[in-house]
Amino acid sequence: MSHKIGWKTATMLVISNMVGTGVFTSLGYQLVDVQNVWSIVLLWVLGGVLALIGAFTFAELGTHYNESGGDYIFVSKGFHPFWGYLTAWASLIVGFSSPVAIAALAMEAYLSPFDIPNLRWYIVLLIILISLLHSFSLKHSSVFQNITTVVKVLFVGFLLGIGIWYAPIPQNAINVQVPIWNEITKTGFAVSLLYVTYAYTGWNAAAYIVGEIRNPSKDLPKALIFGTLGVIIVYVLLQLVFLKFGTYTQLKGQAEVAILATQNILGPMANKWISAGIGFQLIATMSSYIWIGSRIVHSMAQHYTLWKWIRPTNKHDVPIRAIWLLCAVILILLLSGSLQQILLYSSFVLQLMGTIAVASFLKIPHEGDRFRSPLSPYIQYLYVGFSIIVLLFIIYDKPQESFIGLGILLIGAITYLWSKRM
């Protein structure tokens, strides 16, 4: 491979993976069960701490194995190929395809004020064009990713600037009256945390393309840790901005919290342009998931006969068949599901498989020349224990979405057995 990326492009990839729809939509759903501003801040800080623990863990795992594939490699070698296969299957069906489908549905919602006929089909075309762009070379992918991520960062900076410049509106949603303890001990808090952990999905992005990073022993930890820390700060500040400029009645249960909040300051005329900004910054999110997701699917294909048709690459070592398989799954999800349902069952599966991936850290020998996770293995035990509690709460509170997620994994197990027979 003639072209490889440095830590800055890898960091851009992490930021693009993380900053998507979740940060602009989750707050409205959270306000149904959580109203105290400090409870909301706690949600986003807890989600950030979990993401940071994951980033530390994957930085060590990535520099230990030093090959592309991320969770699939870590879990296959740490536990068993079966669990690694399920991780890759989950990545194909929900891990990388559903975030793009969710981003596409969100883009459709945010661009709806422009009354564009057949808007969804234009978004389908956009996904196809992004997939096509990633089918040439790593250099094409990195240039496109850097440009779209800069657009994303500038837009988020604009929203934070509004938060600093303008005074809060009367009767805003910043509430300190509801007792925190009453909120954080209920199942609704755990469900709200699931939305947050989904918003933080992507902290592990650079670990999937270790083989495409120029100096992984140094650049991978930088990308994972700096990218995650930056996003934690931005996420907490953005929630405070939305609460500062929106009322509880306006925001509760609504997905378009960014628009509802900023219109109170900038006026209804600004709605279209805030909507457009949120919609277009999602292009970087779609691009990053298509880039990264194809690599884990391609890595799985190297070991299973059922998927051998995905193995071929082009002359620049780009796994074009994996890219187009992922594109097909994305389009199926986009044309068949609703945003909130996809969000819930995807979040459950990703939280479960992410927990298994972090747990695989406990199986490797912690020696040799590689990045060292601080406070290991204690923070990994904390992550796994806390995540299991959250998953149990979700099964109790959202059984239908939880069992849809488990059903997806069951189908994956069947394809694993089928592949082993082949």
Side-chain angles (χ1 to χ4, degrees):
M1 185 179 295
S2 57
H3 181 84
K4 291 198 174 187
I5 63 173
W7 74 271
K8 292 178 183 177
T9 298
T11 302
M12 291 284 194
L13 206 52
V14 172
I15 293 170
S16 294
N17 262 247
M18 295 177 79
V19 182
T21 54
V23 67
F24 300 109
T25 58
S26 299
L27 180 63
Y29 301 136
Q30 292 162 9
L31 285 171
V32 173
D33 297 298
V34 182
Q35 285 92 50
N36 191 299
V37 62
W38 296 114
S39 300
I40 291 168
V41 168
L42 179 62
L43 278 171
W44 289 91
V45 170
L46 277 175
V49 169
L50 288 174
L52 192 58
I53 292 172
F56 283 133
T57 304
F58 272 45
E60 182 165 345
L61 285 167
T63 53
H64 171 71
Y65 291 115
N66 199 26
E67 58 181 296
S68 295
D71 303 38
Y72 168 68
I73 297 296
F74 306 156
V75 175
S76 293
K77 296 187 175 182
F79 286 123
H80 188 275
F82 170 74
W83 294 107
Y85 181 93
L86 281 191
T87 298
W89 171 261
S91 296
L92 172 63
I93 304 301
V94 297
F96 291 91
S97 51
S98 65
V100 180
I102 290 168
L105 290 169
M107 178 182 280
E108 182 180 28
Y110 283 118
L111 295 181
S112 59
F114 290 89
D115 297 320
I116 302 170
N118 302 313
L119 177 57
R120 181 167 295 189
W121 292 107
Y122 283 110
I123 294 173
V124 166
L125 180 61
L126 174 64
I127 292 169
I128 292 171
L129 287 174
I130 293 171
S131 301
L132 179 63
L133 191 144
H134 282 297
S135 299
F136 293 106
S137 70
L138 191 58
K139 186 174 183 179
H140 283 84
S141 296
S142 58
V143 169
F144 181 74
Q145 194 63 53
N146 286 341
I147 292 170
T148 54
T149 305
V150 167
V151 172
K152 180 190 289 285
V153 170
L154 289 174
F155 176 73
V156 171
F158 170 72
L159 292 179
L160 294 178
I162 292 173
I164 295 169
W165 186 259
Y166 289 95
I169 66 166
Q171 284 81 49
N172 61 58
I174 296 179
N175 181 349
V176 293
Q177 304 303 318
V178 181
I180 295 178
W181 184 252
N182 289 357
E183 293 185 332
I184 66 175
T185 54
K186 293 180 179 177
T187 56
F189 186 83
V191 174
S192 296
L193 186 59
L194 190 65
Y195 288 116
V196 171
T197 56
Y198 179 83
Y200 277 108
T201 300
W203 50 261
N204 52 358
Y208 291 102
I209 55 164
V210 174
E212 297 176 359
I213 296 176
R214 193 174 299 122
N215 186 3
S217 62
K218 293 183 179 180
D219 291 348
L220 178 63
K222 277 185 184 179
L224 292 174
I225 295 165
F226 291 159
T228 302
L229 281 172
V231 170
I232 291 171
I233 296 168
V234 167
Y235 275 11
V236 172
L237 291 177
L238 278 176
Q239 306 317 304
L240 294 176
V241 169
F242 301 152
L243 292 170
K244 181 180 177 181
F245 298 138
T247 67
Y248 172 73
T249 305
Q250 276 183 316
L251 303 181
K252 179 186 175 184
Q254 300 300 312
E256 294 86 4
V257 290
I259 296 171
L260 294 170
T262 53
Q263 74 175 0
N264 292 330
I265 295 299
L266 303 177
M269 292 297 291
N271 281 5
K272 280 190 174 183
W273 305 111
I274 296 295
S275 294
I278 296 173
F280 284 114
Q281 65 86 32
L282 291 171
I283 293 174
T285 302
M286 295 178 183
S287 171
S288 61
Y289 276 99
I290 290 170
W291 181 358
I292 299 296
S294 61
R295 270 53 177 182
I296 192 170
V297 174
H298 184 256
S299 182
M300 173 188 71
Q302 306 308 307
H303 303 99
Y304 295 96
T305 306
L306 179 64
W307 303 99
K308 66 180 181 179
W309 56 277
I310 304 175
R311 294 174 188 171
T313 60
N314 68 7
K315 64 181 181 180
H316 297 292
D317 290 334
V318 174
I320 50 176
R321 292 192 182 184
I323 289 171
W324 289 103
L325 172 63
L326 190 66
C327 178
V329 175
I330 290 165
L331 296 180
I332 291 168
L333 288 175
L334 171 60
L335 298 171
S336 63
S338 68
L339 189 149
Q340 188 172 11
Q341 188 175 43
I342 295 174
L343 182 64
L344 281 168
Y345 72 68
S346 299
S347 301
F348 178 83
V349 173
L350 293 177
Q351 188 68 23
L352 175 60
M353 303 315 293
T355 303
I356 294 173
V358 172
S360 73
F361 175 90
L362 305 171
K363 302 285 287 184
I364 65 170
H366 300 286
E367 56 191 28
D369 183 21
R370 64 169 183 266
F371 174 81
R372 299 293 180 181
S373 169
L375 301 176
S376 65
Y378 306 109
I379 58 173
Q380 283 76 26
Y381 279 118
L382 177 67
Y383 183 105
V384 172
F386 189 79
S387 185
I388 289 172
I389 293 170
V390 171
L391 288 166
L392 291 174
F393 270 117
I394 306 310
I395 292 172
Y396 174 78
D397 197 75
K398 300 288 182 183
Q400 180 179 346
E401 288 81 2
S402 301
F403 284 110
I404 289 174
L406 292 173
I408 290 169
L409 295 179
L410 178 61
I411 294 170
I414 292 169
T415 65
Y416 171 82
L417 296 174
W418 184 15
S419 182
K420 291 292 285 184
R421 284 191 176 187
M422 292 174 68

